[in-house]
Amino acid sequence: MDGYQLLAGVVLLSIFVSQLTCEAYKVEKYSLLMPNVRPNTPELYLCTPIKVDPSKGYYIVGFEPNATMSTAHHMLLYGCTTPGSQKAVWNCGEMAKHDDYLETSNPCESGSQILYAWARDAPKLELPEGVGFRVGGNSSIQYLVLQVHYAHIDKFKDGSTDNSGIFLHYTERPLNKLAGVLLLGTSGSIPPRRIEHMESSCSITEKKVIHPFAYRTHTHSLGKVVSGYRIRRGDDGRDNWVLLGKRDPLTPQMFYPVLNSDPIRYGDRLAARCTMLSTRDRWTEVGPTNADEMCNFYLMYWVKNDQPLKKKYCFSMGPPTYYWDSEDFNNIPDEEASKL
Ligand code: CU
Ligand code: CU
């Protein structure tokens, strides 16, 4: 080999290496959009599914919304094991009322988890570098279901249609940081004309290191503050409450960066509180409609070289049966948890 060939070889090799490092993996886009629907009643929730190839694993690394708040009130992307319907589009409202020509069912029939939420012209969400939701293959997510809430329908009166949705950014290259979502929530009932705390907590009982990076809160109209914590007991027996996220749940209900991304470990506990203010003369129960309430805190995280938590939900009985006080907690940040 002469000098020139050697040089050419080095140049080729360095181009190859720089491609490997700069373009760590190829990201492609998949359009998950409403198939030109024409909403015919206000406050309509529509769902449309895609089946993911079960013979191959994919990794979703980002979500790019294709919607404006003038058309879509909110969008949610669900991962499902089985979808709520076999139809191309169905009515899937939390607050769904029965409709003459569209069947009403949940977004998922089984294995439901929320992967992305959009509201009020929120920007796209890119997961941290090297993190992805594994879908397809032998994962529990075999379908992706897009839900769009159409609040107002005036603009469809002239016959125009809508294709709001999400461009999914994905790669086929296996990633070693897998994303997951843990949902903390409660049942229970809220007394009339009172401030009530809806509280949940649970322990991490799987030997994994969990890196939290985003959170989302959800209540209906009575929610004032939703806060979520990681609790770790010190050697002195004192519980250290670290705030993961806190906000007014009536601000856009999308995923926001966590306030503390320190890893969560085996033995840690997680807790969430929704501070609710009822000015109603009646009791308010947890339930799906706008007349009911919900208390949800979603935590999005990644784990390295491991599967996401088997535990997807952390639910308590809620008021008046369950409070943080019912647990062996100390040092509870009672004021801070309810104050914005
Ligand atoms: Cu909405
Ligand atoms: Cu709800």
Side-chain angles (χ1 to χ4, degrees):
M1 183 187 278
D2 64 30
Y4 177 75
Q5 278 179 320
L6 181 65
L7 182 64
V10 169
V11 170
L12 273 179
L13 183 69
S14 62
I15 290 171
F16 181 62
V17 168
S18 73
Q19 277 189 339
L20 271 182
T21 50
C22 295
E23 251 179 79
Y25 44 84
K26 193 166 154 229
V27 173
E28 295 178 274
K29 291 189 189 186
Y30 186 92
S31 311
L32 174 48
L33 305 174
M34 279 293 158
N36 293 314
V37 294
R38 193 169 156 241
N40 61 344
T41 47
E43 303 302 337
L44 185 64
Y45 288 61
L46 294 181
C47 277
T48 191
I50 51 166
K51 179 165 173 52
V52 188
D53 182 354
S55 70
K56 206 151 131 192
Y58 297 89
Y59 298 80
I60 301 179
V61 297
F63 306 93
E64 182 184 341
N66 175 54
T68 60
M69 61 187 281
S70 66
T71 306
H73 182 262
H74 79 252
M75 297 193 292
L76 285 175
L77 179 68
Y78 289 83
C80 309
T81 306
T82 52
S85 166
Q86 298 303 318
K87 305 238 168 95
V89 180
W90 70 93
N91 182 338
C92 59
E94 237 193 13
M95 295 141 197
K97 35 183 183 254
H98 286 273
D99 194 291
D100 295 341
Y101 80 105
L102 282 174
E103 160 194 353
T104 302
S105 37
N106 293 329
C108 302
E109 182 188 63
S110 68
S112 168
Q113 57 176 304
I114 287 184
L115 305 185
Y116 174 68
W118 175 94
R120 301 231 190 132
D121 292 345
K124 67 177 174 187
L125 175 70
E126 296 284 1
L127 302 187
E129 184 69 38
V131 175
F133 280 100
R134 198 166 95 83
V135 302
N138 61 359
S139 79
S140 62
I141 301 178
Q142 294 293 312
Y143 288 82
L144 294 165
V145 173
L146 168 73
Q147 179 191 65
V148 181
H149 173 198
Y150 295 95
H152 312 291
I153 54 161
D154 296 345
K155 62 187 290 181
F156 301 109
K157 292 212 165 113
D158 65 358
S160 59
T161 59
D162 180 67
N163 68 343
S164 292
I166 301 168
F167 301 115
L168 302 169
H169 297 194
Y170 71 94
T171 179
E172 290 179 31
R173 202 195 88 153
L175 297 178
N176 64 351
K177 292 177 180 172
L178 296 187
V181 175
L182 181 64
L183 170 56
L184 288 89
T186 78
S187 338
S189 36
I190 301 162
R193 302 199 164 276
R194 268 256 301 274
I195 291 175
E196 183 61 280
H197 292 164
M198 306 180 86
E199 297 176 331
S200 56
S201 83
C202 59
S203 303
I204 301 298
T205 56
E206 295 172 55
K207 292 202 165 132
K208 294 173 189 285
V209 180
I210 296 140
H211 297 265
F213 65 90
Y215 76 103
R216 172 180 186 257
T217 63
H218 172 74
T219 69
H220 301 169
S221 48
L222 304 186
K224 292 293 166 199
V225 184
V226 179
S227 51
Y229 292 87
R230 182 210 77 201
I231 301 109
R232 186 174 296 161
R233 183 153 294 178
D235 295 335
D236 57 0
R238 226 173 129 71
D239 287 333
N240 180 24
W241 292 64
V242 169
L243 186 64
L244 296 171
K246 176 162 77 168
R247 61 189 311 112
D248 173 350
L250 302 186
T251 54
Q253 297 184 354
M254 54 187 212
F255 282 95
Y256 295 93
V258 289
L259 300 175
N260 187 304
S261 55
D262 290 349
I264 298 168
R265 320 186 290 233
Y266 173 77
D268 285 350
R269 289 183 285 177
L270 295 173
R273 173 193 281 177
C274 302
T275 302
M276 316 297 284
L277 171 62
S278 175
T279 53
R280 294 172 178 161
D281 291 320
R282 60 173 176 86
W283 284 74
T284 304
E285 309 289 330
V286 165
T289 77
N290 225 349
D292 309 314
E293 264 305 332
M294 284 192 179
C295 169
N296 292 165
F297 184 93
Y298 294 81
L299 189 65
M300 197 182 276
Y301 62 87
W302 55 267
V303 290
K304 193 172 179 181
N305 298 324
D306 202 350
Q307 296 300 315
L309 291 172
K310 283 195 198 75
K311 187 198 273 296
K312 308 267 185 250
Y313 300 98
C314 169
F315 266 77
S316 79
M317 296 289 288
T321 319
Y322 178 93
Y323 295 98
W324 286 344
D325 274 342
S326 331
E327 299 279 345
D328 166 35
F329 280 134
N330 63 59
N331 209 15
I332 294 176
D334 192 43
E335 262 185 52
E336 184 205 278
S338 293
K339 197 171 62 193
L340 277 179

